[in-house]
Amino acid sequence: MSEKRPTAGIDELLEQVRQGYERVEAPEAHAAARAGEALLVDIRYAALRDRDGLIPGALVIERNELEWRLDPRGSHRVPEATGHDLRIVVICNEGYASSLAAVSLHQLGLHRATDLVGGFQAWREAGLPVVS
């Protein structure tokens, strides 16, 4: 009979996974994308994108397709998925789901994947570009 292990709640899980990489703030993500040093990936679902707008130049990949689209060796990858050294900044609405997504990308070998602190809402609050 196996011993039952205690489980972590989502807050503890987020704290644990975020220790494995350095998250970025909106101005840093914006500067890196403008310099061609990072790929911004918006994982918000369509209703949020329709409601709040889009980040110009961000690649839209909904969360349920993320790993398939960004795996450089995958048969369903997007052209932007050029290699495992690609710096990817995952953006969700408020910076929670993106943390779990970034860790999943790390598991695929995308060791420079990170996420945006505060998500799209922080981007918008920083006054960075958004289009309808």
Coordinates of all heavy atoms in Angstrom, one line a residue, residues 62-128:
E62 N -3.6 29.9 -27.6 CA -4.4 29.6 -26.4 C -3.7 28.5 -25.6 O -3.0 27.7 -26.1 CB -5.9 29.2 -26.8 CG -6.6 30.5 -27.3 CD -8.1 30.3 -27.3 OE1 -8.6 29.5 -26.5 OE2 -8.7 31.1 -28.0
R63 N -3.9 28.5 -24.3 CA -3.2 27.7 -23.4 C -3.3 26.2 -23.7 O -2.3 25.5 -23.6 CB -3.8 27.9 -21.9 CG -3.2 27.0 -20.9 CD -1.7 27.3 -20.7 NE -1.0 26.3 -19.9 CZ -0.3 25.3 -20.3 NH1 -0.2 25.1 -21.6 NH2 0.2 24.4 -19.5
N64 N -4.4 25.7 -24.2 CA -4.5 24.3 -24.5 C -3.6 23.9 -25.7 O -3.5 22.7 -25.9 CB -5.9 23.9 -24.6 CG -6.6 24.5 -25.8 OD1 -6.3 25.6 -26.2 ND2 -7.6 23.8 -26.4
E65 N -3.1 24.8 -26.4 CA -2.2 24.4 -27.6 C -0.8 24.8 -27.4 O 0.1 24.6 -28.3 CB -2.8 25.2 -28.8 CG -4.1 24.8 -29.3 CD -4.6 25.5 -30.5 OE1 -3.8 26.3 -31.0 OE2 -5.7 25.2 -31.0
L66 N -0.5 25.4 -26.3 CA 0.9 26.1 -26.1 C 2.0 25.1 -26.4 O 2.9 25.4 -27.1 CB 0.9 26.7 -24.7 CG 2.2 27.5 -24.4 CD1 2.1 28.8 -25.2 CD2 2.3 27.8 -22.9
E67 N 2.1 24.0 -25.7 CA 3.2 23.1 -25.8 C 3.4 22.6 -27.2 O 4.5 22.5 -27.8 CB 3.1 21.9 -24.8 CG 3.2 22.3 -23.4 CD 1.9 22.9 -22.8 OE1 0.9 23.0 -23.5 OE2 1.9 23.2 -21.6
W68 N 2.3 22.3 -27.9 CA 2.3 21.7 -29.3 C 2.8 22.8 -30.2 O 3.6 22.5 -31.2 CB 0.9 21.3 -29.7 CG 0.6 20.0 -29.1 CD1 0.8 18.7 -29.6 CD2 0.0 19.8 -27.8 NE1 0.4 17.8 -28.7 CE2 -0.1 18.4 -27.6 CE3 -0.5 20.6 -26.8 CZ2 -0.7 17.8 -26.5 CZ3 -1.0 20.1 -25.7 CH2 -1.1 18.7 -25.5
R69 N 2.5 24.0 -30.0 CA 2.9 25.1 -30.9 C 4.3 25.6 -30.7 O 4.9 26.1 -31.6 CB 1.9 26.3 -30.8 CG 0.5 25.9 -31.2 CD 0.3 25.6 -32.6 NE -1.1 25.4 -33.0 CZ -1.5 24.5 -33.8 NH1 -0.6 23.7 -34.4 NH2 -2.7 24.4 -34.1
L70 N 4.8 25.5 -29.5 CA 6.1 26.1 -29.2 C 7.3 25.0 -29.1 O 8.4 25.4 -29.0 CB 6.1 26.9 -27.9 CG 5.2 28.2 -28.1 CD1 5.2 29.0 -26.8 CD2 5.8 29.1 -29.2
D71 N 6.9 23.8 -29.1 CA 8.0 22.7 -29.1 C 8.7 22.8 -30.4 O 8.2 22.5 -31.5 CB 7.4 21.3 -28.9 CG 8.4 20.2 -28.9 OD1 9.6 20.5 -29.1 OD2 8.0 19.1 -28.7
P72 N 10.0 23.2 -30.4 CA 10.8 23.3 -31.7 C 10.9 22.0 -32.5 O 11.1 22.0 -33.7 CB 12.2 23.7 -31.2 CG 12.0 24.3 -29.8 CD 10.8 23.5 -29.2
R73 N 10.7 20.9 -31.8 CA 10.8 19.6 -32.5 C 9.4 19.0 -32.8 O 9.3 18.0 -33.4 CB 11.5 18.6 -31.7 CG 13.0 19.0 -31.5 CD 13.7 17.9 -30.7 NE 13.1 17.9 -29.3 CZ 13.5 17.1 -28.3 NH1 14.5 16.2 -28.6 NH2 13.0 17.2 -27.1
G74 N 8.3 19.8 -32.5 CA 7.0 19.3 -32.7 C 6.5 19.4 -34.1 O 6.8 20.4 -34.8
S75 N 5.6 18.5 -34.5 CA 5.1 18.6 -35.9 C 4.0 19.7 -36.0 O 3.7 20.0 -37.2 CB 4.5 17.2 -36.2 OG 3.4 16.9 -35.3
H76 N 3.5 20.2 -34.9 CA 2.5 21.3 -35.0 C 3.0 22.6 -34.6 O 2.3 23.5 -34.2 CB 1.3 20.9 -34.1 CG 0.5 19.7 -34.6 ND1 0.9 18.4 -34.4 CD2 -0.6 19.6 -35.4 CE1 0.1 17.6 -35.0 NE2 -0.8 18.3 -35.6
R77 N 4.3 22.8 -34.6 CA 4.9 24.0 -34.1 C 4.7 25.2 -35.0 O 4.5 25.0 -36.2 CB 6.4 23.9 -33.9 CG 7.2 23.7 -35.2 CD 8.7 23.6 -34.9 NE 9.4 23.4 -36.1 CZ 9.8 24.3 -37.0 NH1 9.5 25.5 -36.8 NH2 10.5 24.0 -38.0
V78 N 4.7 26.4 -34.5 CA 4.6 27.6 -35.2 C 6.0 28.0 -35.8 O 7.0 27.6 -35.2 CB 4.0 28.8 -34.4 CG1 2.6 28.5 -33.9 CG2 4.9 29.1 -33.2
P79 N 6.0 28.7 -36.9 CA 7.3 29.1 -37.4 C 8.2 29.8 -36.4 O 9.5 29.7 -36.5 CB 7.0 30.0 -38.6 CG 5.6 29.7 -38.9 CD 4.9 29.2 -37.7
E80 N 7.7 30.5 -35.5 CA 8.5 31.3 -34.5 C 9.2 30.3 -33.5 O 10.1 30.8 -32.8 CB 7.6 32.2 -33.7 CG 7.0 33.4 -34.5 CD 5.7 33.0 -35.2 OE1 5.3 31.8 -35.3 OE2 5.1 33.9 -35.8
A81 N 8.8 29.1 -33.4 CA 9.4 28.1 -32.5 C 10.7 27.6 -33.1 O 10.8 26.5 -33.6 CB 8.4 27.0 -32.2
T82 N 11.7 28.4 -33.1 CA 13.0 28.2 -33.8 C 14.0 27.3 -33.1 O 14.9 26.8 -33.7 CB 13.6 29.5 -34.2 OG1 13.8 30.3 -33.1 CG2 12.7 30.2 -35.2
G83 N 13.9 27.2 -31.8 CA 14.9 26.4 -31.0 C 14.6 26.5 -29.5 O 13.8 27.3 -29.1
H84 N 15.4 25.7 -28.8 CA 15.2 25.7 -27.4 C 15.8 26.9 -26.6 O 15.5 27.1 -25.5 CB 15.8 24.4 -26.8 CG 15.0 23.2 -27.2 ND1 15.2 22.4 -28.3 CD2 13.9 22.7 -26.5 CE1 14.3 21.5 -28.3 NE2 13.5 21.6 -27.3
D85 N 16.6 27.7 -27.3 CA 17.2 28.9 -26.7 C 16.3 30.1 -26.8 O 16.6 31.2 -26.4 CB 18.5 29.2 -27.3 CG 19.6 28.2 -26.8 OD1 19.4 27.7 -25.7 OD2 20.6 28.0 -27.5
L86 N 15.1 30.0 -27.5 CA 14.2 31.1 -27.7 C 13.7 31.6 -26.3 O 13.3 30.8 -25.4 CB 13.0 30.6 -28.5 CG 11.9 31.6 -28.9 CD1 12.5 32.7 -29.8 CD2 10.8 30.9 -29.6
R87 N 13.8 32.9 -26.2 CA 13.3 33.5 -24.9 C 11.8 33.8 -25.2 O 11.4 34.6 -26.1 CB 14.0 34.8 -24.6 CG 13.5 35.4 -23.3 CD 14.3 36.7 -22.9 NE 13.9 37.2 -21.6 CZ 14.0 38.4 -21.2 NH1 14.7 39.3 -22.0 NH2 13.6 38.8 -20.1
I88 N 11.0 33.2 -24.4 CA 9.5 33.3 -24.5 C 9.0 33.9 -23.2 O 9.3 33.5 -22.1 CB 8.9 31.9 -24.7 CG1 9.4 31.2 -26.0 CG2 7.4 32.0 -24.7 CD1 9.1 29.8 -26.1
V89 N 8.1 34.9 -23.4 CA 7.4 35.5 -22.3 C 5.9 35.2 -22.4 O 5.3 35.7 -23.3 CB 7.6 37.1 -22.2 CG1 6.9 37.6 -21.0 CG2 9.1 37.4 -22.1
V90 N 5.4 34.3 -21.6 CA 4.0 33.9 -21.6 C 3.2 34.9 -20.8 O 3.5 35.4 -19.7 CB 3.9 32.5 -21.0 CG1 2.4 32.0 -21.1 CG2 4.8 31.5 -21.6
I91 N 2.1 35.3 -21.5 CA 1.2 36.3 -20.9 C -0.2 35.8 -20.8 O -0.8 35.4 -21.8 CB 1.2 37.6 -21.8 CG1 2.6 38.1 -21.9 CG2 0.2 38.6 -21.2 CD1 2.8 39.1 -23.1
C92 N -0.7 35.7 -19.5 CA -2.1 35.4 -19.3 C -2.8 36.7 -18.9 O -2.3 37.8 -19.1 CB -2.3 34.3 -18.3 SG -1.8 34.7 -16.6
N93 N -4.0 36.6 -18.3 CA -4.7 37.8 -17.9 C -4.1 38.5 -16.7 O -3.9 39.7 -16.7 CB -6.2 37.5 -17.6 CG -7.0 38.8 -17.6 OD1 -6.9 39.6 -18.4 ND2 -7.8 38.9 -16.5
E94 N -3.7 37.7 -15.7 CA -3.3 38.4 -14.4 C -1.9 37.8 -13.9 O -1.5 38.2 -12.8 CB -4.3 38.3 -13.3 CG -5.6 39.1 -13.7 CD -6.6 39.0 -12.6 OE1 -6.6 38.1 -11.7 OE2 -7.5 39.9 -12.6
G95 N -1.3 36.9 -14.6 CA 0.0 36.4 -14.2 C 0.0 35.1 -13.4 O 0.9 34.9 -12.7
Y96 N -1.1 34.3 -13.4 CA -1.1 33.1 -12.7 C -1.0 31.9 -13.6 O -0.1 31.1 -13.5 CB -2.4 33.0 -11.9 CG -2.5 34.1 -10.8 CD1 -3.4 35.2 -11.0 CD2 -1.8 34.0 -9.7 CE1 -3.5 36.2 -10.1 CE2 -1.9 35.1 -8.7 CZ -2.7 36.1 -9.0 OH -2.8 37.2 -8.0
A97 N -1.9 31.7 -14.5 CA -1.8 30.6 -15.5 C -0.5 30.6 -16.3 O 0.0 29.6 -16.6 CB -3.0 30.6 -16.4
S98 N 0.0 31.8 -16.5 CA 1.2 31.9 -17.3 C 2.4 31.3 -16.6 O 3.3 30.8 -17.2 CB 1.5 33.4 -17.7 OG 1.6 34.2 -16.5
S99 N 2.4 31.3 -15.2 CA 3.5 30.7 -14.5 C 3.5 29.2 -14.7 O 4.6 28.6 -14.9 CB 3.3 31.1 -13.0 OG 3.5 32.4 -12.7
L100 N 2.3 28.6 -14.6 CA 2.3 27.2 -14.8 C 2.6 26.8 -16.3 O 3.3 25.8 -16.5 CB 0.9 26.7 -14.5 CG 0.4 26.9 -13.0 CD1 -1.0 26.4 -12.8 CD2 1.4 26.2 -12.1
A101 N 2.2 27.7 -17.2 CA 2.6 27.5 -18.6 C 4.1 27.6 -18.8 O 4.7 26.8 -19.6 CB 1.8 28.5 -19.5
A102 N 4.7 28.5 -18.2 CA 6.2 28.7 -18.4 C 6.9 27.5 -17.9 O 7.9 27.0 -18.5 CB 6.6 30.0 -17.6
V103 N 6.5 26.9 -16.8 CA 7.1 25.7 -16.2 C 6.9 24.5 -17.2 O 7.8 23.7 -17.4 CB 6.6 25.4 -14.8 CG1 7.0 24.0 -14.4 CG2 7.0 26.4 -13.8
S104 N 5.8 24.4 -17.8 CA 5.5 23.4 -18.8 C 6.5 23.5 -19.9 O 7.0 22.5 -20.5 CB 4.1 23.4 -19.2 OG 3.8 22.4 -20.1
L105 N 6.7 24.8 -20.4 CA 7.7 25.0 -21.5 C 9.1 24.6 -21.0 O 9.9 24.1 -21.8 CB 7.6 26.4 -21.9 CG 6.3 26.8 -22.6 CD1 6.3 28.3 -23.0 CD2 6.0 26.0 -23.8
H106 N 9.5 24.9 -19.8 CA 10.8 24.5 -19.3 C 10.9 22.9 -19.4 O 12.0 22.4 -19.7 CB 10.9 24.9 -17.8 CG 11.4 26.3 -17.7 ND1 12.7 26.6 -17.2 CD2 10.8 27.5 -17.9 CE1 12.8 27.9 -17.2 NE2 11.6 28.5 -17.6
Q107 N 9.8 22.2 -19.1 CA 9.9 20.8 -19.2 C 10.1 20.3 -20.6 O 10.6 19.2 -20.8 CB 8.6 20.2 -18.6 CG 8.5 20.4 -17.1 CD 7.1 20.0 -16.5 OE1 6.1 20.0 -17.2 NE2 7.1 19.7 -15.2
L108 N 9.8 21.1 -21.6 CA 10.0 20.8 -23.0 C 11.4 21.2 -23.4 O 11.8 21.0 -24.6 CB 9.0 21.5 -23.9 CG 7.6 20.9 -23.9 CD1 6.7 21.8 -24.8 CD2 7.6 19.5 -24.5
G109 N 12.2 21.7 -22.5 CA 13.5 22.2 -22.8 C 13.7 23.6 -23.2 O 14.8 24.1 -23.6
L110 N 12.6 24.4 -23.2 CA 12.6 25.8 -23.5 C 13.0 26.5 -22.2 O 12.2 27.2 -21.5 CB 11.3 26.3 -24.0 CG 10.9 25.7 -25.4 CD1 9.4 25.7 -25.6 CD2 11.6 26.4 -26.5
H111 N 14.3 26.5 -21.9 CA 14.9 26.9 -20.6 C 14.8 28.4 -20.4 O 15.0 28.9 -19.3 CB 16.3 26.4 -20.4 CG 17.2 26.9 -21.5 ND1 18.0 28.0 -21.3 CD2 17.5 26.4 -22.7 CE1 18.8 28.2 -22.4 NE2 18.4 27.3 -23.3
R112 N 14.6 29.2 -21.4 CA 14.5 30.6 -21.2 C 13.0 31.1 -21.1 O 12.8 32.3 -21.1 CB 15.2 31.3 -22.4 CG 16.7 31.0 -22.4 CD 17.5 31.7 -23.5 NE 17.5 33.2 -23.2 CZ 17.5 34.1 -24.2 NH1 17.6 33.8 -25.4 NH2 17.6 35.4 -23.8
A113 N 12.1 30.2 -21.1 CA 10.7 30.6 -21.0 C 10.5 31.3 -19.6 O 11.0 30.9 -18.6 CB 9.8 29.4 -21.1
T114 N 9.6 32.3 -19.6 CA 9.3 33.0 -18.4 C 7.8 33.5 -18.5 O 7.2 33.2 -19.5 CB 10.3 34.1 -18.1 OG1 9.9 34.7 -16.8 CG2 10.2 35.2 -19.1
D115 N 7.4 34.3 -17.6 CA 6.0 34.8 -17.7 C 6.0 36.3 -17.2 O 7.0 36.7 -16.5 CB 5.0 34.0 -17.0 CG 4.9 34.0 -15.5 OD1 6.0 33.9 -14.9 OD2 3.8 34.2 -15.0
L116 N 5.0 36.9 -17.5 CA 4.8 38.4 -17.2 C 4.1 38.5 -15.8 O 3.0 38.1 -15.6 CB 4.0 39.0 -18.3 CG 3.8 40.5 -18.1 CD1 5.1 41.3 -18.3 CD2 2.8 41.0 -19.2
V117 N 4.8 39.2 -14.9 CA 4.2 39.5 -13.6 C 3.0 40.3 -13.8 O 3.1 41.4 -14.4 CB 5.3 40.2 -12.7 CG1 4.6 40.6 -11.4 CG2 6.5 39.4 -12.5
G118 N 1.9 39.9 -13.3 CA 0.6 40.6 -13.4 C -0.1 40.5 -14.7 O -1.2 41.0 -14.9
G119 N 0.5 39.8 -15.7 CA -0.2 39.4 -16.9 C -0.5 40.7 -17.8 O 0.0 41.7 -17.6
F120 N -1.5 40.4 -18.6 CA -2.0 41.5 -19.5 C -2.4 42.7 -18.8 O -2.2 43.9 -19.2 CB -3.1 41.0 -20.4 CG -3.7 42.0 -21.4 CD1 -3.1 42.2 -22.6 CD2 -4.8 42.8 -21.0 CE1 -3.6 43.2 -23.4 CE2 -5.2 43.8 -21.8 CZ -4.6 44.0 -23.1
Q121 N -3.1 42.5 -17.6 CA -3.6 43.7 -16.9 C -2.4 44.6 -16.4 O -2.5 45.8 -16.4 CB -4.4 43.2 -15.7 CG -5.7 42.4 -16.1 CD -6.6 43.1 -17.0 OE1 -6.7 44.4 -17.0 NE2 -7.1 42.4 -18.0
A122 N -1.3 44.0 -16.0 CA -0.1 44.8 -15.7 C 0.5 45.5 -16.9 O 0.9 46.7 -16.8 CB 1.0 43.9 -15.0
W123 N 0.4 44.9 -18.0 CA 0.9 45.5 -19.3 C 0.1 46.7 -19.6 O 0.6 47.8 -19.8 CB 0.8 44.5 -20.4 CG 1.2 44.9 -21.8 CD1 0.4 45.7 -22.6 CD2 2.4 44.7 -22.4 NE1 1.2 45.9 -23.8 CE2 2.4 45.3 -23.7 CE3 3.6 44.0 -22.1 CZ2 3.4 45.3 -24.6 CZ3 4.6 43.9 -23.0 CH2 4.6 44.6 -24.2
R124 N -1.2 46.6 -19.5 CA -2.1 47.7 -19.8 C -1.9 48.8 -18.7 O -1.9 50.0 -19.1 CB -3.6 47.2 -19.8 CG -4.5 48.3 -20.2 CD -5.9 47.8 -20.5 NE -6.5 47.2 -19.4 CZ -7.6 46.6 -19.3 NH1 -8.3 46.5 -20.4 NH2 -8.1 46.0 -18.2
E125 N -1.9 48.4 -17.5 CA -1.7 49.4 -16.4 C -0.4 50.2 -16.5 O -0.3 51.3 -16.1 CB -1.8 48.8 -15.0 CG -3.2 48.4 -14.7 CD -3.2 47.5 -13.4 OE1 -2.3 47.5 -12.6 OE2 -4.3 46.8 -13.2
A126 N 0.6 49.6 -17.1 CA 1.9 50.2 -17.4 C 1.9 51.2 -18.5 O 2.8 51.9 -18.8 CB 3.0 49.2 -17.6
G127 N 0.7 51.3 -19.2 CA 0.6 52.2 -20.3 C 1.2 51.7 -21.6 O 1.5 52.5 -22.5
L128 N 1.5 50.4 -21.7 CA 2.2 49.9 -22.9 C 1.1 49.6 -24.0 O -0.1 49.6 -23.7 CB 2.9 48.6 -22.5 CG 4.1 48.8 -21.5 CD1 4.6 47.5 -21.0 CD2 5.2 49.6 -22.2

